[in-house]
Amino acid sequence: MQLSAPGTPLLALRSASFGYADRTVVSHVDLEVRAGEVVALLGPNGSGKSTLVRGVLGLTAHLAGEVELFGVPRARFRDHTRVGYVPQRHSLSASVRATVTEVVEVGRLPHRPWWRPASRTDRARVREAVAGVLAGLAA
């Protein structure tokens, strides 16, 4: 696990630009997100919200600027179990349904072999995560 110094932003973007191949979709973004903060990306369809998130994750082209995760430049970041992403749409059939708990459980998969069922600890962490989100919504 790559540890970051206390107070280091979880995410830092400095004049970051993202897009597809040579087409810039989001440009010159400056953003810092620290532990305990909640950030919402708002905008109309096609404004680049998903491109920005996917760019931070390395799923779209990082065209310019700096991206750091937990104080580590994106290109050198390897501790992927510290980052979770639930896409707006998935590639499974529309007939496949999942509960919130099932979606959150997917985040525990990198912490065990794929064939091993969820442990008591996995189930407790999932309950804590869901409860934390619900508490945040109620606040």
Side-chain angles (χ1 to χ4, degrees):
M1 175 190 293
Q2 296 167 325
L3 297 177
S4 51
T8 299
L10 305 178
L11 170 64
L13 304 176
R14 292 179 201 87
S15 197
S17 298
F18 305 99
Y20 302 90
D22 61 347
R23 183 172 156 244
T24 302
V25 175
V26 178
S27 60
H28 308 295
V29 176
D30 291 309
L31 173 69
E32 281 193 358
V33 179
R34 297 185 178 278
E37 293 182 331
V38 176
V39 176
L41 295 175
L42 303 174
N45 289 344
S47 64
K49 302 176 301 288
S50 294
T51 300
L52 173 64
V53 172
R54 291 174 53 82
V56 166
L57 297 171
L59 302 174
T60 58
H62 173 206
L63 303 173
E66 298 175 34
V67 177
E68 290 183 355
L69 296 165
F70 301 92
V72 178
R74 177 71 186 90
R76 290 194 344 242
F77 185 77
R78 299 288 176 264
D79 197 3
H80 301 287
T81 60
R82 295 181 78 185
V83 178
Y85 169 61
V86 180
Q88 182 175 340
R89 292 182 187 88
H90 56 74
S91 58
L92 297 175
S93 165
S95 64
V96 175
R97 302 283 184 235
T99 66
V100 168
T101 299
E102 289 168 338
V103 171
V104 175
E105 285 172 341
V106 171
R108 296 297 302 162
L109 292 176
H111 301 280
R112 67 175 194 268
W114 63 267
W115 66 87
R116 186 171 296 148
S119 68
R120 188 172 296 153
T121 299
D122 290 322
R123 290 189 299 275
R125 295 256 171 99
V126 167
R127 282 192 305 275
E128 290 166 9
V130 172
V133 170
L134 292 174
L137 292 174

